[in-house]
Amino acid sequence: MEIRRISRRRFMKEAVVAGTLVPLINSAAANQNQDKKLFQICIFSKHLQWLDYNGMAQTTAELGFDGVDLTVRRGGHVLPERVEDDLPKAVEAVKSAGIKPLMMATDINDPDDPNTEKILRTAGSLGIRCYRLGKYRYNDNKSIISTLNEAKPKIRDLAAMNKHYNIHGDYQNHAGSGYVGAPVWDLWELIKDLDPKYIGCQFDIRHATVEGGQAWPLHFKVISKWIKSLAIKDFFWEKQNNRWQAVNCPLGEGAVDFAHYLRLLKTSSIAGPISVHYEYDLGGANHGATKLTIEKEKVLTAIQRDLEFLKTRLRENDLY
């Protein structure tokens, strides 16, 4: 029976609360046993949208990534309305290149959206075990508490859908005053009563540092039980037009304290896929462009440089 035929009330009766569900054997645990790695590294395919499925997959493999964080959203490699036709093609290309479809980035934030079930059902059947949710936003016309109260039942029902389709959903802590999850404590309020096997956080250390300053380790600790994937990027502060701005940069050249962060990861029980993001200027690849304005060799060199930085730091801490 398809999940859209099941009432919201039935979902609410399912105890999608911490510790009450049958454990989900997710790809992170399976891959850890197979490859003996706590983490597997994938590229956010947003940065390779100037390539088709085969080109994206082959390039990812040649660069040395373990897999792909595939964009399955508006303007992505796979469009939501075409997921049943195109996601299998993208996954086949990835597997044929000898790497894995480790995760996907989506716009999913409403269990009743007609594309939500199609995406989760298709991804689950193809062996994708982790996805990133879409965002909830604050605005001046609604109170913070009202926004969270509206989001909470949606997150709860998405957790139930994830259980049904054997997939895990992560919400990214994205920086910005308009984003739910930027302070991290509000995200904790949304998921604290839900089972981390099915819903959680994609912890983004760049965004956590922007919003948390020196307090980001506290934010990491409060949400750590629910962290099942990571997003990696870096930034520095620069004064522009008399205002301090967060400017994206290559890994290791900015304000992110990788030494402290990796020490925390090492002492935690976190394992799973890492998505590397390239948000600094890369001739449009940073914005998901389908055409580059610089030579592709420069883009690939930058991508590989950050990948090697991350691999080296992970290995130094026995995390890879």
Side-chain angles (χ1 to χ4, degrees):
M1 181 172 61
E2 290 187 353
I3 205 159
R4 62 172 169 265
R5 298 176 185 171
I6 303 174
S7 69
R8 181 74 67 90
R9 181 171 297 176
R10 179 172 172 183
F11 275 135
M12 294 175 66
K13 289 181 179 179
E14 292 194 27
V16 191
V17 295
T20 64
L21 295 176
V22 177
L24 171 66
I25 301 176
N26 58 34
S27 60
N31 288 338
Q32 183 178 343
N33 291 332
Q34 179 181 351
D35 299 327
K36 297 182 180 179
K37 295 177 181 177
L38 285 176
F39 295 100
Q40 291 195 308
I41 306 172
C42 53
I43 187 171
F44 188 21
S45 84
K46 165 185 173 180
H47 308 304
L48 296 178
Q49 287 183 182
W50 44 280
L51 295 168
D52 62 15
Y53 297 154
N54 289 323
M56 173 268 296
Q58 289 294 333
T59 298
T60 298
E62 291 168 4
L63 287 168
F65 288 91
D66 300 306
V68 177
D69 176 8
L70 192 63
T71 50
V72 184
R73 61 186 188 181
R74 293 184 298 272
H77 263 117
V78 176
L79 302 179
E81 61 272 18
R82 289 192 51 83
V83 68
E84 293 168 316
D85 294 322
D86 291 349
L87 187 56
K89 298 174 185 176
V91 168
E92 177 58 30
V94 169
K95 291 181 177 179
S96 295
I99 53 177
K100 301 175 182 179
L102 289 171
M103 54 197 297
M104 61 181 183
T106 76
D107 295 320
I108 291 173
N109 62 12
D110 184 353
D112 293 327
D113 186 284
N115 286 320
T116 296
E117 183 194 354
K118 289 196 301 182
I119 294 171
L120 297 183
R121 181 179 64 239
T122 304
S125 70
L126 294 169
I128 297 174
R129 292 290 167 255
C130 185
Y131 75 97
R132 190 176 88 195
L133 280 75
K135 300 293 185 294
Y136 299 109
R137 288 176 169 82
Y138 296 114
N139 63 68
D140 293 336
N141 298 321
K142 190 180 299 181
S143 73
I144 290 174
I145 299 303
S146 294
T147 299
L148 296 179
N149 286 342
E150 289 182 9
K152 198 162 190 174
K154 294 179 180 179
I155 288 281
R156 178 200 62 215
D157 290 356
L158 284 171
M161 294 181 81
N162 295 342
K163 175 178 180 287
H164 185 88
Y165 288 116
N166 196 29
I167 194 168
H168 183 276
D170 279 335
Y171 189 97
Q172 180 191 22
N173 56 301
H174 198 293
S177 60
Y179 289 110
V180 172
V184 179
W185 288 96
D186 55 352
L187 176 56
W188 178 78
E189 284 289 341
L190 290 179
I191 65 176
K192 65 181 181 180
D193 297 320
L194 302 179
D195 195 321
K197 297 181 183 70
Y198 299 99
I199 202 78
C201 172
Q202 180 175 114
F203 193 78
D204 189 311
I205 183 59
R206 182 268 192 200
H207 292 315
T209 304
V210 169
E211 296 295 351
Q214 295 182 336
W216 68 261
L218 299 177
H219 302 163
F220 173 87
K221 290 176 182 177
V222 76
I223 207 76
S224 62
K225 180 180 176 181
W226 290 268
I227 296 174
K228 300 299 178 182
S229 64
L230 307 174
I232 294 287
K233 46 186 176 283
D234 204 348
F235 80 102
F236 59 85
W237 290 107
E238 182 176 87
K239 200 166 190 178
Q240 301 176 355
N241 299 321
N242 294 319
R243 294 184 59 188
W244 287 101
Q245 303 288 334
V247 179
N248 296 307
C249 65
L251 297 185
E253 297 183 9
V256 170
D257 188 346
F258 283 101
H260 189 179
Y261 182 45
L262 294 175
R263 285 197 302 271
L264 286 179
L265 286 176
K266 188 171 183 178
T267 58
S268 74
S269 59
I270 296 169
I274 299 176
S275 180
V276 186
H277 294 201
Y278 298 84
E279 304 291 349
Y280 52 90
D281 187 12
L282 279 179
N286 47 308
H287 297 307
T290 56
K291 292 184 179 180
L292 300 177
T293 59
I294 62 175
E295 296 85 353
K296 68 177 183 180
E297 288 76 15
K298 291 183 178 180
V299 175
L300 299 179
T301 296
I303 289 175
Q304 193 160 44
R305 177 188 60 215
D306 279 9
L307 174 61
E308 291 307 314
F309 172 90
L310 179 59
K311 283 184 176 181
T312 298
R313 298 299 176 270
L314 290 172
R315 286 170 177 151
E316 288 172 349
N317 287 273
D318 299 319
L319 295 170
Y320 186 78

